[in-house]
Amino acid sequence: MSVTDQSPAAPDPGTDPARAALHDRIAADSLTTRRDYLRIVATVSGGLAVGGVAVAGGVLHRHGDNDDPPAARRVAAVLPPGESVAFRFPGEEDRAVAVRLTDGTLVGYSAVCTHLACGVLWREDRGAEGELYCPCHEGVFDARTGEVTAGPPPRPLPKVLLVEEADGSVWAVATARSGESVKDAMCRQFADRRPDMAARMGCPAANAKPAERSERT
């Protein structure tokens, strides 16, 4: 065992008082260091736990929480297969990512991990279709569905609904909450403002209005 691996030996009664005082100081400093370290670890661990509870409990902002229909936003002039683009939608605080899969399918998601709200990245080189990856705690999401495939995230990524215009431009038009279907998301956000669209989609609110009018007549 080397000298650096050994703890300071307790001074003999006949030892020089100065050496004894130095030994006591070293022992006190070591104890303080250990206590400070444990205090820091406890604080950080507690903060992560509180953050996880806040996200899971809905205390923190979640992507697409607003029921009002968002203003459409152009995401890209063109998005070739195998490429992605980061953008903000529906608000400036909402990070999102659009991906064109290799078969041409266009998908969009919140770029905020459902675990502890870290940023989610697109990795084209992983798997057959690429993957959405959170580097904070190794969370992985399916690129085609947004479902969790690995790591601690408790829910799939909320979706951003995209449309492609005739000129090839890609636009974000609506959001879907985690686990919410595209139809339910569109009905929730457009039933009151766009009854024509809601009726074409068969939204319950749109179907209920004719029945209400017939009861009045």
Side-chain angles (χ1 to χ4, degrees):
M1 180 180 294
S2 65
V3 174
T4 56
D5 292 332
Q6 297 176 355
S7 301
D12 296 330
T15 304
D16 182 4
R19 291 186 60 189
L22 178 60
H23 175 275
D24 292 342
R25 177 62 182 275
I26 292 173
D29 287 346
S30 298
L31 180 60
T32 301
T33 301
R34 288 195 296 271
R35 286 174 176 170
D36 290 343
Y37 173 77
L38 292 174
R39 187 180 300 113
I40 292 170
V41 170
T43 301
V44 172
S45 300
L48 291 175
V50 170
V53 171
V55 171
V59 176
L60 302 182
H61 173 76
R62 285 183 180 175
H63 202 101
D65 273 347
N66 198 334
D67 285 336
D68 295 332
R73 175 172 297 184
R74 192 173 83 157
V75 172
V78 63
L79 191 59
E83 294 191 8
S84 68
V85 61
F87 61 101
R88 302 276 178 159
F89 185 82
E92 290 301 322
E93 74 280 11
D94 297 308
R95 292 170 290 169
V97 59
V99 178
R100 175 85 73 179
L101 301 179
T102 54
D103 66 356
T105 301
L106 194 61
V107 293
Y109 301 100
S110 164
V112 178
C113 183
T114 56
H115 180 218
L116 290 178
C118 291
V120 172
L121 308 174
W122 162 246
R123 302 206 305 191
E124 180 190 1
D125 60 333
R126 298 297 294 266
E129 297 185 306
E131 68 180 21
L132 294 157
Y133 169 73
C134 176
C136 290
H137 301 93
E138 303 294 323
V140 181
F141 302 87
D142 184 272
R144 187 171 292 273
T145 66
E147 295 289 334
V148 180
T149 59
R155 299 180 306 279
L157 288 172
K159 294 180 180 178
V160 175
L161 310 183
L162 305 174
V163 296
E164 185 174 14
E165 297 294 337
D167 62 357
S169 61
V170 177
W171 293 72
V173 297
T175 59
R177 294 167 179 164
S178 179
E180 184 179 33
S181 70
V182 171
K183 177 181 176 181
D184 288 345
M186 295 294 287
C187 290
R188 172 173 56 84
Q189 295 170 84
F190 291 95
D192 294 335
R193 303 291 184 90
R194 293 289 304 275
D196 55 331
M197 180 187 297
R200 290 198 299 270
M201 295 185 64
C203 297
N207 292 336
K209 290 180 179 179
E212 292 173 1
R213 285 197 294 269
S214 63
E215 288 177 2
R216 295 193 189 99
T217 58

